[in-house]
Amino acid sequence: MNPLPFKPDGVFFDLDGTLLDSARDLYAALTVLCAEQGVDAPPFERVREVVSRGSRAMLGVAFPAADEDAILALVPRFLEVYEADMASHTTAFDGVEAMLAGLDAAGVRWGIVTNKPGFLTDALLPRAVRHWKPAAVVSGDTLPVRKPDPAPVLHACATAGCDPARSVFVGDDRRDVLAGNAAGLYTVAVRWGYLDGGDPDTWGADVVVDGVADLAALLGLKEVAA
């Protein structure tokens, strides 16, 4: 993996499916809701691949016959169950901790741009990864718009004091790439995430990486990639 064509000013990440593997806790909440509604929970793998699209997508898998209004009516209870036990199984993907430590050691600011609602982001990070010190955290309701709109990515850059033209955005969903490209960042799509059943090679990212070690090498963190 060749390094970036510039020394990064900042590196920004999607959260679920990119930094954190949160699918098991989300699936556990979904199974509780399915039991309350008297239906069988769908297979985990079918739910996992849509996690990056949020609660409505997951509920759509569990309740395929429900219309949009019915799905929306289920969202508050789903999020309530999830918030109550959201960090039992959620961990950083293998290699992520070392990569972030490498960025910290190199003095590269990094942050998070997620479509997760702020009250869930703010609750999850201290429970799952309380030692993380991102320079910016932008949630799905921080601004009036969410990814794929570029505004949240640009807001993260401004908060962290980073030049978008010398920054990187990393994600596991096509919307991450669209947002990063529109904001003028160098975009990286990752294969280890949830992917929404899509092919990252078709999303228009500047580069697609297979594993965290490849991303670390791209960012010039040789000691992490070794």
Side-chain angles (χ1 to χ4, degrees):
M1 178 66 64
N2 293 323
L4 290 170
F6 54 84
K7 184 181 186 300
D9 198 26
V11 184
F12 300 90
F13 302 89
D14 173 54
L15 185 59
D16 298 279
T18 301
L19 294 180
L20 292 182
D21 188 358
S22 53
R24 286 289 178 186
D25 284 317
L26 286 159
Y27 182 71
L30 188 64
T31 59
V32 170
L33 182 63
C34 285
E36 292 177 354
Q37 295 294 316
V39 302
D40 293 332
F44 170 69
E45 288 303 326
R46 285 182 55 206
V47 176
R48 183 187 187 277
E49 72 175 17
V50 304
V51 163
S52 289
R53 280 202 286 132
S55 57
R56 283 181 287 181
M58 288 179 273
L59 290 167
V61 172
F63 303 93
D67 61 22
E68 184 176 354
D69 288 341
I71 293 294
L72 286 173
L74 292 169
V75 169
R77 176 58 181 158
F78 173 61
L79 297 183
E80 179 183 38
V81 175
Y82 172 60
E83 185 184 16
D85 190 15
M86 66 194 319
S88 292
H89 306 288
T90 294
T91 59
F93 284 101
D94 289 345
V96 162
E97 295 279 15
M99 177 190 63
L100 295 180
L103 290 173
D104 287 336
V108 177
R109 289 159 288 186
W110 62 272
I112 294 166
V113 184
T114 176
N115 279 354
K116 205 180 195 79
F119 78 97
L120 294 178
T121 306
D122 294 343
L124 178 61
L125 291 176
R127 294 190 210 178
V129 284
R130 66 179 62 201
H131 55 290
W132 286 8
K133 302 297 182 186
V137 177
V138 179
S139 295
D141 51 3
T142 300
L143 301 177
V145 294
R146 307 189 302 167
K147 298 175 297 184
D149 193 286
V153 179
L154 291 171
H155 184 67
C157 290
T159 301
C162 297
D163 178 2
R166 299 187 63 82
S167 296
V168 181
F169 192 65
V170 185
D172 72 312
D173 189 273
R174 184 171 178 267
R175 292 171 302 173
D176 297 319
V177 174
L178 292 173
N181 284 344
L185 280 72
Y186 187 97
T187 53
V188 181
V190 304
R191 295 191 195 278
W192 66 77
Y194 304 139
L195 304 183
D196 194 17
D199 178 3
D201 288 312
T202 68
W203 296 346
D206 289 297
V207 67
V208 180
V209 296
D210 293 326
V212 178
D214 297 318
L215 177 58
L218 177 72
L219 297 174
L221 306 175
K222 303 297 186 184
E223 69 283 0
V224 177

